[in-house]
Every structure is written in structure tokens, then in C-alpha cells.
Amino acid sequence: MTEATGGTHDSGATGATGATGASGADGSAPARRVRVVLVDDHRMFRTGVQAEIGETERTGVEVVGEAADVDQAVTVIGATRPEVVLLDVHLPGGGGVEVLRRSAALMSDPERPVRFLALSVSDAAEDVIGVIRGGARGYVTKTITGTDLVDAIFRVSDGDAVFSPRLAGFVLDAFASTDAPPVDEDLDRLTQREREVLRLIARGYAYKEIAKQLFISVKTVESHVSAVLRKLQLSNRHELTRWATARRLV
């Protein structure tokens, strides 16, 4: 399931050891099942996750629905009432935060709460903090292994908070501070996808690597880079890298 190339990989979710419902070392069937909805705007990625974790008899995870944008997500989640939603942060229609906002009643249901686990290519602090403030129970990056993802799903279904190792610090720092993050008008001009491309460019990824990681074409990457340079009034990727580094986006 690992997809990043040229970046630092998380080895798994913090504290993810021995999920309650996961099959044992002897290959025995899971003790229970967790119903899951996959929300991601990339069909190929959803297919990959389904193949990785969706063999219910082996993993205990039953994928009961999929969605590619905010409206679809809200509809499918309301119709299926899963225990856990795997939620991408950047979605057409308002992003993962909008899905959380519109699912607030389901999250707070005392009898059958729907819990959210963010699963995203982004490891930016503002993305992590945004969805956690919105009500997600955890955040893992798409470099997580299938085994650790199953474990994270079961832990979140039990009400635990689960994070990829380096992301937990973002959350602790954010909630330890009472100061709201400053508004960056330049950054606000960029779309979510442009921000993703910006961060990967600033980290030194080649266009082909970015295209592979984000499941888009090289031409689309080029278009996003051109748009970012234009909006930020920068001339080249070196200036872009300096701009991103100065704002601690890398």
C-alpha cells in the first residue's frame, strides 16, 4: 500500500499492536467485524485499499461503501452507518472537514457513533489539526501498511485515538496552545490540490513522482505548478521551495 517515493515513510500507527478483531498469528478468523466506508477522490486508491484490507474473513474489515466527494460521502455514510470512515483530507466539495461538519450528528450518536480516521497523503500540520478539530479520531498517512491500517481501524472503532508517529506531535502542540494559527492570505489563494503539489515540489519530488503519488498525470502536475507560481508571483521552483520553507510547509 506504500505509495510515496523519495519521502520519509511512517512505519505504522502509533501504538498499533494487536487489534481486537484482527486475525491471530495462526490465521484464525477475526473475533469481530468493523464496517467501514472509504472516502477518497481517487478510484485507484480506493481499489487498492479495498484489496489490501477488504478480505473480511481474514481482516475483520467489511467495506460497506465508497465515496469520491463530499456530497457522496455524506450520503453513503448516512445510508450505511459504518463504525469507521476512512476519510481523505482533500476532497471535491469542501474537503474532509466539510464531511465531518455535516456528519456531526452521526459522530455524537450515543448508541451508534460513526468514527472517522483520516487517511491522507498529506502530513502537513494544518491538515492534521484541521480534521482533528473537526472530530476525527485519528490521522494516518497513506504510507501505512495494510496490517497497521486494519489495526488502526479497530482501535478507532473502540474509541481510541490513532496517529502515525510523527503526526501525534502536531496535535499535542496544537491543543497545548491557545493561540489560533495566523491566517496566510497567500496560502489561502491556493486550492487543496495546489497545496499538495506545492509541498511535494518543495520537498524535492520530481514531477513524475508527484504524479504517481497523487494519482494524476504529469501534465496535470505541470498545470498545478504553473498555477501556484502565478498565484504566489514566483518565477521558478527554487523560489517556491524557499517560500514554502519560510512558512514551514515542507
Side-chain angles (χ1 to χ4, degrees), residues 66-150:
E66 299 183 14
D69 59 34
V70 169
D71 288 340
Q72 288 180 14
V74 172
T75 298
V76 172
I77 293 166
T80 60
R81 296 296 295 267
E83 282 85 22
V84 176
V85 177
L86 291 181
L87 180 68
D88 193 12
V89 174
H90 301 147
L91 294 167
V97 172
E98 179 65 11
V99 176
L100 291 164
R101 185 187 70 78
R102 292 169 59 180
S103 302
L106 297 179
M107 285 190 284
S108 61
D109 186 330
E111 299 296 328
R112 295 175 57 198
V114 176
R115 297 187 169 104
F116 287 78
L117 173 61
L119 175 62
S120 177
V121 70
S122 171
D123 59 2
E126 64 266 29
D127 287 335
V128 178
I129 295 165
V131 295
I132 298 304
R133 289 191 190 279
R137 295 294 303 173
Y139 194 117
V140 294
T141 60
K142 291 181 178 179
T143 55
I144 192 170
T145 66
T147 300
D148 284 341
L149 181 57
V150 169

Side-chain angles (χ1 to χ4, degrees), residues 9-66:
H9 288 198
D10 293 325
S11 59
T14 298
T17 56
T20 303
S23 59
D26 59 355
S28 58
R32 65 184 176 92
R33 295 184 178 184
V34 174
R35 299 168 70 252
V36 172
V37 164
L38 305 178
V39 180
D40 194 289
D41 61 337
H42 296 111
R43 183 182 57 79
M44 288 179 62
F45 181 74
R46 296 198 310 272
T47 300
V49 173
Q50 171 80 288
E52 190 80 20
I53 70 173
E55 294 180 13
T56 307
E57 295 301 321
R58 175 177 61 86
T59 66
V61 174
E62 180 184 1
V63 178
V64 297
E66 299 183 14

Side-chain angles (χ1 to χ4, degrees), residues 154-216:
F154 273 94
R155 293 188 62 209
V156 167
S157 75
D158 288 333
D160 292 345
V162 181
F163 299 90
S164 290
R166 68 181 297 270
L167 306 186
F170 294 157
V171 179
L172 292 173
D173 291 345
F175 286 92
S177 173
T178 57
D179 297 328
V183 175
D184 190 324
E185 294 183 358
D186 289 333
L187 189 60
D188 284 348
R189 294 192 185 101
L190 305 182
T191 66
Q192 294 283 9
R193 179 63 85 198
E194 288 168 353
R195 294 185 192 191
E196 288 180 324
V197 172
L198 163 65
R199 292 189 188 97
L200 294 173
I201 284 288
R203 291 172 183 172
Y205 282 65
Y207 284 5
K208 288 184 178 180
E209 293 175 320
I210 296 172
K212 181 179 179 181
Q213 182 155 335
L214 299 183
F215 296 96
I216 57 180

